[in-house]
Amino acid sequence: MTSATRRDLRGAATTFTYAAGRLLPGRADYTGLSRSWRHDVLAGITVGVVALPLALAFGVTSGLGAGAGLTTAIVAGLVAAVFGGSNVQVSGPTGAMTVVLLPVLASQGAGAVFAISVIAGVLVMAMGVARLGRAVAYIPWPVVAGFTLGIATIIGLQQVPLALDVPKPEGENTALIAARAVLEAGHTTSLLALALVLLVIALMVMLPRIRRTLPASLIAVIVATVLAELVEAPIARIGEIPSSLPAFALPDLSLPVVTSLMGSAVAIAFLAAIESLLSAKVSDGMSDTTKTDPDRELIGQGLANVASGVFGGMPATGAIARTAVNVRAGARTRISSVVHALVLVVVVLVGSELVATIPLAALAGVLIVTAGRMVDRVAIRSIFRTTRSDMIVFTLTALATVTFDLIVAVEVGIAVAAILALRQVARVSGAHAETLPVADGLDTEDEQSLMREHIAVYRIDGALFFGAAQRFLDELTDVADVRVVVLRLSGVRVVDATGANALAEIVTHLQLRGITVLLKGIPPRYLPIMRGAGVLNGLSHERHLFHDLDSALEHARDHVQRVPH
């Protein structure tokens, strides 16, 4: 083995060790625990109490049942707390996931959901290993806001059958299902369920105004459950949930199954990554603890989804609401998220019989309030006060989320945002005619007349790319009454193959018309693409490439005087 090979191996080993140390748990994750453990434990208990009704509600809404929601909150919450990249993030089932899972569960059953959780977890881990954690920064703000509004709308509509205590009508479109549920309602049971929903909403809105630290959702669910028991209301309840911890069971991951589920798994992996990183970003702004490592967070969330799938849970993400409660309760280390999971374990082992009596209408009220709180009204107003393009992107993303599905919505939003952004860049990029400076020793009027009639100077600014190429062609190929065109290219900031090809066409077209083209100030980094597209070969002479404007103008004047028209 040569010394160079040994150096390469040592370098690779050092890189791997650094990456492993950065992306895996370590002692540094618990720095300051000796001082903050009391706050962390209290915060964990608080967020566990808040998470209980949400976990139950999201489990019911997903169609897997309340037990699956609890399992997800326990398993995914614990694994993400240990392996994730945030010290204060709380993970578990979320409303966005229920929106994606409903059609999968309806068409392929619960086993497919567990398998998708494992597949999506592996994909999210791959994103973290590939260091794609910072890619969330490239998603436009109007897309995220529209996406969130659409999800909130769907979550709210999903609660209509539960709020009216009617069986869920057949169908896949959430709005149509909600409308059918309203048409089927009207009897006394529906009125009782609706009354409980309104009670829960009222308590969740009013209690935080009395004292912010009160677990409003849990108190509201307890009050609704007690009233329903007192009047013996004949409305649907959660029913039996597991009274023990879930057992390990590997779902079917055969090649045909994985192939059939890959589309949904990609959508869920994308959603898990986006929602988790956005939640972590919010928590970073609220807490003064160590900032989130986005790549490690993806690895942690991927492991959490794999673990959730093999223990009978649903896909999970970082949860913004629970994370915010955790931070406000004083959490400093990831011990608080671990305690939150342990609190839910106690509920499973001790309180399963009590949980079984909770009315589904009460959980519907919790999720209706949660959906309402997801809508950032300040952000929406800000978007509508900015530009028309941002309004279009926001509106189309929200409509696509409600009408189609989440992955289509994000694709539509990003595509529209990209098209509008390219249109704006193309609009500010272009060729601009410039007045030439007057040379010493020449009569001013004669010189300006000579310049106007025989020499034209154009400055090309901004992006020379496919979005602006046609504008360059239209502006420069219409040049008339000149014998020399000087193209100033030092202001070009972006060049792609289409833009370089358009410039080559301009040069060739002008040369064929007998107009000499001089190029000035091509940035050195763009010379290869210019040469490859044939721009330089199109010049009538290799010396028609200049570094400064004075030399180009001197050559242009000399050419006009020397070469007969």
Side-chain angles (χ1 to χ4, degrees):
M1 183 181 297
T2 64
S3 59
T5 303
R6 285 195 293 270
R7 282 197 303 271
D8 291 342
L9 290 175
R10 283 197 298 269
T14 301
T15 302
F16 176 80
T17 302
Y18 169 75
R22 193 173 66 86
L23 298 177
L24 294 177
R27 183 177 297 178
D29 294 341
Y30 304 96
T31 301
L33 180 60
S34 60
R35 298 187 301 274
S36 67
W37 69 269
R38 292 181 180 84
H39 296 287
D40 290 327
V41 170
L42 290 175
I45 294 172
T46 302
V47 76
V49 168
V50 171
L52 174 59
L54 292 174
L56 296 171
F58 287 132
V60 171
T61 302
S62 71
L64 291 171
L70 268 179
T71 296
T72 306
I74 293 169
V75 176
L78 182 60
V79 173
V82 175
F83 292 95
S86 170
N87 286 335
V88 293
Q89 174 104 290
V90 179
S91 299
T94 62
M97 279 301 177
T98 65
V99 174
V100 180
L101 293 177
L102 275 173
V104 176
L105 181 65
S107 61
Q108 302 190 57
V113 174
F114 305 146
I116 280 180
S117 185
V118 174
I119 300 168
V122 172
L123 294 176
V124 174
M125 281 193 290
M127 293 181 197
V129 173
R131 297 191 176 186
L132 298 179
R134 302 189 187 280
V136 69
Y138 297 102
I139 298 178
W141 175 40
V143 173
V144 175
F147 179 71
T148 305
L149 175 62
I151 290 174
T153 303
I154 292 175
I155 292 173
L157 292 173
Q158 284 176 342
Q159 308 317 309
V160 173
L162 297 180
L164 298 174
D165 197 45
V166 298
K168 181 183 175 183
E170 296 294 328
E172 293 186 2
N173 185 278
T174 307
L176 292 178
I177 291 174
R180 291 171 186 157
V182 172
L183 294 176
E184 294 176 9
H187 48 75
T188 304
T189 305
S190 293
L191 294 177
L192 286 172
L194 187 58
L196 288 180
V197 171
L198 295 176
L199 174 64
V200 169
I201 293 174
L203 289 173
M204 289 186 65
V205 172
M206 297 302 297
L207 288 177
R209 298 181 181 179
I210 299 172
R211 188 177 180 85
R212 288 182 59 86
T213 56
L214 289 174
S217 58
L218 183 64
I219 293 174
V221 168
I222 291 174
V223 171
T225 303
V226 170
L227 287 177
E229 287 293 299
L230 289 175
V231 301
E232 298 181 351
I235 56 178
R237 311 297 177 104
I238 285 180
E240 184 179 357
I241 66 170
S243 58
S244 61
L245 296 177
F248 178 91
L250 190 66
D252 183 3
L253 294 174
S254 60
L255 183 59
V257 171
V258 172
T259 303
S260 65
L261 298 177
M262 186 55 71
S264 298
V266 170
I268 287 173
F270 180 77
L271 179 60
I274 294 292
E275 193 169 9
S276 297
L277 293 175
L278 288 176
S279 175
K281 188 175 182 180
V282 171
S283 69
D284 286 346
M286 296 176 62
S287 173
D288 59 356
T289 59
T290 304
K291 300 303 180 184
T292 301
D293 182 330
D295 298 323
R296 182 178 167 187
E297 181 64 20
L298 289 181
I299 291 177
Q301 293 295 336
L303 288 170
N305 276 278
V306 171
S308 181
V310 299
F311 282 101
M314 55 193 280
T317 74
I320 295 177
R322 276 155 276 178
T323 300
V325 170
N326 194 36
V327 174
R328 286 199 296 263
R332 304 290 300 173
T333 74
R334 54 193 70 217
I335 287 297
S336 61
S337 300
V338 172
V339 171
H340 135 271
L342 297 179
V343 168
L344 297 178
V345 169
V346 173
V347 171
V348 170
L349 297 178
V350 178
S352 58
E353 293 184 3
L354 295 176
V355 170
T357 61
I358 296 176
L360 294 180
L363 299 183
V366 171
L367 289 188
I368 289 172
V369 175
T370 302
R373 288 172 177 170
M374 287 177 65
V375 180
D376 190 340
R377 295 166 182 78
V378 175
I380 294 174
R381 282 196 296 268
S382 299
I383 289 171
F384 276 82
R385 290 172 182 169
T386 52
T387 66
R388 183 177 298 177
S389 297
D390 291 327
M391 288 171 47
I392 292 172
V393 171
F394 168 80
T395 304
L396 288 178
T397 304
L399 290 175
T401 303
V402 177
T403 307
F404 301 107
D405 58 51
L406 304 186
I407 194 69
V408 171
V410 174
E411 289 173 347
V412 168
I414 292 177
V416 172
I419 291 171
L420 294 175
L422 291 175
R423 178 172 172 266
Q424 182 62 25
V425 173
R427 181 178 294 174
V428 300
S429 303
H432 311 281
E434 291 190 330
T435 302
L436 295 178
V438 178
D440 293 337
L442 291 177
D443 180 78
T444 301
E445 293 184 2
D446 291 342
E447 173 66 12
Q448 291 180 345
S449 176
L450 176 65
M451 295 302 104
R452 284 196 304 270
E453 294 177 6
H454 300 292
I455 301 175
V457 177
Y458 283 85
R459 184 185 76 253
I460 298 180
D461 291 330
L464 186 61
F465 76 124
F466 69 90
Q470 190 58 48
R471 294 187 63 231
F472 292 131
L473 284 170
D474 294 342
E475 293 179 31
L476 295 181
T477 55
D478 291 338
V479 171
D481 298 327
V482 298
R483 294 168 60 186
V484 179
V485 168
V486 179
L487 297 181
R488 299 181 61 184
L489 302 173
S490 54
V492 173
R493 296 292 177 263
V494 178
V495 177
D496 70 357
T498 304
N501 182 68
L503 184 59
E505 289 183 16
I506 291 168
V507 171
T508 302
H509 179 80
L510 293 176
Q511 296 280 173
L512 289 175
R513 288 172 52 193
I515 300 173
T516 299
V517 178
L518 309 181
L519 301 181
K520 176 264 169 186
I522 298 179
R525 63 184 179 279
Y526 297 134
L527 275 173
I529 192 172
M530 296 285 191
R531 186 175 288 107
V535 175
L536 305 187
N537 292 338
L539 299 174
S540 59
H541 198 284
E542 61 183 11
R543 292 191 302 171
H544 288 176
L545 192 62
F546 298 89
H547 295 292
D548 60 87
L549 183 60
D550 291 338
S551 299
L553 294 181
E554 182 180 352
H555 189 92
R557 293 190 182 97
D558 179 68
H559 180 86
V560 169
Q561 295 175 1
R562 178 169 44 83
V563 180
H565 182 51

